[in-house]
Amino acid sequence: MKAGITAAVATMLFMAPAAQAGETLDAVKARGFVQVGINGSLFGFGMPDDKGVWHGLDVDTARAVSAAVFGDPDKIKYIPLTAQTRFTALQSKEVDVLCRNATRTLSRDTELGLNFVTVNYYDGQGFLIPTKLGVKSAKELDGASVCVLPGTTTEQNVADYFRANNMKMKPVVIEENTELNQAFFSGRCDVLTSDASQLAGIRAVAPNPADYEILPQIISKEPLAPAVRHGDDQWRDIVDYSVLAMIAAEDMGITSANVDEMLKSTDPNVQRFLGVTPGNGKALGLDEKFAYNIVKMVGNYGEVFERNVGVNTKLQIKRGLNAQWKDGGLMYAPPFK
């Protein structure tokens, strides 16, 4: 009986077609670069420096995709998008992938025709206030004017929070991130609400960061993840496993510094992951060394987190939920086999 099952499985595997290039991968390769929708003005996640070089956790996520596809992390055209235009740009094929601190929700997965991949940052919505306001809890914000971006989960969450706590608020709704931040810093509103990571990035570039604080309350779950369009499973797999490769590398102790030495590992899991034992690359329609290229050129997830948003950056964010599963966090990658 066992032999019969084995033979049947072997026949199915033999007959299974090799991965074929999907529409998006074909277009990306023909173009020679990946078109990435990005925030453009969020320190630590996605913005260029004064020399025009892009930095951030979402930027490095995009660079991982480029490294996987081209063996070069910088074959990218960054396209800054607002919260209101980001999904339309993806739907209309203006961008190939959205790496723009976007929360995965049921309606976005279905009504908007998007596929979110593995979460690259677990977040939650908070409140940024001037320290001089003297507020220590979000429940003390009754009657406050609140700066918020339209077309976001943030807008609905804050309305729900105030309603649930029998408080009133005066929304100050501004579409552009930069203008919204300026409105807050100039005193047009008492409070700025957004994902806590975004608030940390905004505070980091404030005229005087010490004048502002993030309240301790987190009022929502915001799993932030890259997104692609429905209808191209291969491209979704490529983007998904580009994120997962960084997570898996950290789990296995593979870094940009030791990845060349790890090529000599006798661990079958490491051999498969780095492409020493072939199969994974072919399954995705990529080079067998796609994961090696990601780790060598971009780094593992821990490296990406620490250099962009970690405790030694201006954002000073602890790993928290974004730690590896074995360290009490939610970062967990399936087997690469």
Side-chain angles (χ1 to χ4, degrees):
M1 188 67 176
K2 288 183 179 179
I5 293 174
T6 302
V9 172
T11 300
M12 290 172 65
L13 291 173
F14 180 77
M15 294 175 62
Q20 299 295 317
E23 177 188 351
T24 308
L25 182 61
D26 280 343
V28 167
K29 285 186 172 181
R31 190 191 309 121
F33 56 88
V34 186
Q35 296 179 144
V36 177
I38 200 81
N39 189 297
S41 60
L42 182 55
F43 184 84
F45 284 83
M47 68 180 292
D49 61 21
D50 55 5
K51 296 181 180 178
V53 179
W54 285 82
H55 299 281
L57 189 143
D58 283 336
V59 169
D60 279 342
T61 300
R63 295 179 72 239
V65 175
S66 177
V69 174
F70 294 109
D72 182 331
D74 297 314
K75 288 189 175 295
I76 297 174
K77 178 181 180 181
Y78 295 104
I79 301 176
L81 299 169
T82 68
Q84 288 190 315
T85 62
R86 55 186 169 170
F87 300 129
T88 304
L90 183 58
Q91 293 165 333
S92 65
K93 300 185 180 182
E94 181 183 348
V95 299
D96 305 306
V97 58
L98 189 65
C99 295
R100 193 200 176 283
N101 56 301
T103 301
R104 180 181 183 179
T105 69
L106 185 149
S107 61
R108 290 172 178 178
D109 265 338
T110 55
E111 295 170 12
L112 296 186
L114 307 182
N115 279 334
F116 286 84
V117 304
T118 295
V119 172
N120 69 338
Y121 192 93
Y122 287 95
D123 210 346
Q125 185 173 332
F127 298 94
L128 180 66
I129 64 165
T131 304
K132 65 181 181 181
L133 200 63
V135 170
K136 298 301 179 185
S137 168
K139 292 185 178 180
E140 300 174 32
L141 294 175
D142 189 18
S145 54
V146 182
C147 276
V148 62
L149 284 171
T152 62
T153 56
T154 304
E155 188 177 21
Q156 180 178 351
N157 291 340
V158 70
D160 289 347
Y161 180 79
F162 272 75
R163 189 179 304 113
N165 287 281
N166 296 313
M167 299 190 303
K168 294 182 179 180
M169 60 173 281
K170 303 169 186 174
V172 179
V173 181
I174 300 173
E175 181 177 342
E176 292 286 346
N177 273 297
T178 302
E179 293 178 15
L180 185 76
N181 299 344
Q182 289 174 347
F184 171 68
F185 290 133
S186 67
R188 280 184 59 190
C189 50
D190 303 311
V191 185
L192 176 61
T193 186
S194 188
D195 297 342
S197 63
Q198 185 159 342
L199 297 179
I202 293 168
R203 182 179 62 179
V205 296
N208 187 356
D211 289 343
Y212 303 91
E213 62 181 298
I214 300 173
L215 294 177
Q217 285 79 20
I218 297 296
I219 67 170
S220 70
K221 292 188 291 186
E222 305 294 334
L224 308 181
V228 296
R229 290 178 293 278
H230 275 178
D232 191 334
D233 289 345
Q234 186 195 20
W235 182 245
R236 182 200 179 280
D237 289 342
I238 288 171
V239 176
D240 193 27
Y241 276 90
S242 294
V243 177
L244 288 167
M246 294 188 288
I247 296 170
E250 183 182 19
D251 191 19
M252 290 188 283
I254 305 173
T255 70
S256 58
N258 71 13
V259 66
D260 287 321
E261 185 65 25
M262 293 295 280
L263 288 170
K264 305 172 187 176
S265 172
T266 58
D267 184 335
N269 294 309
V270 175
Q271 291 177 336
R272 281 191 293 267
F273 178 76
L274 294 178
V276 176
T277 300
N280 288 338
K282 182 179 180 181
L284 290 168
L286 300 175
D287 188 279
E288 293 294 350
K289 296 183 73 175
F290 82 94
Y292 165 87
N293 289 335
I294 289 172
V295 180
K296 180 68 175 180
M297 299 172 182
V298 183
N300 68 30
Y301 182 79
E303 292 177 277
V304 168
F305 185 98
E306 294 300 340
R307 74 165 165 258
N308 288 300
V309 302
V311 293
N312 293 317
T313 68
K314 290 182 179 180
L315 275 68
Q316 300 178 346
I317 298 175
K318 296 179 181 179
R319 288 292 293 270
L321 294 178
N322 296 295
Q324 286 283 329
W325 63 279
K326 57 191 176 185
D327 297 322
L330 298 178
M331 288 297 168
Y332 187 104
F336 274 61
K337 61 183 178 181

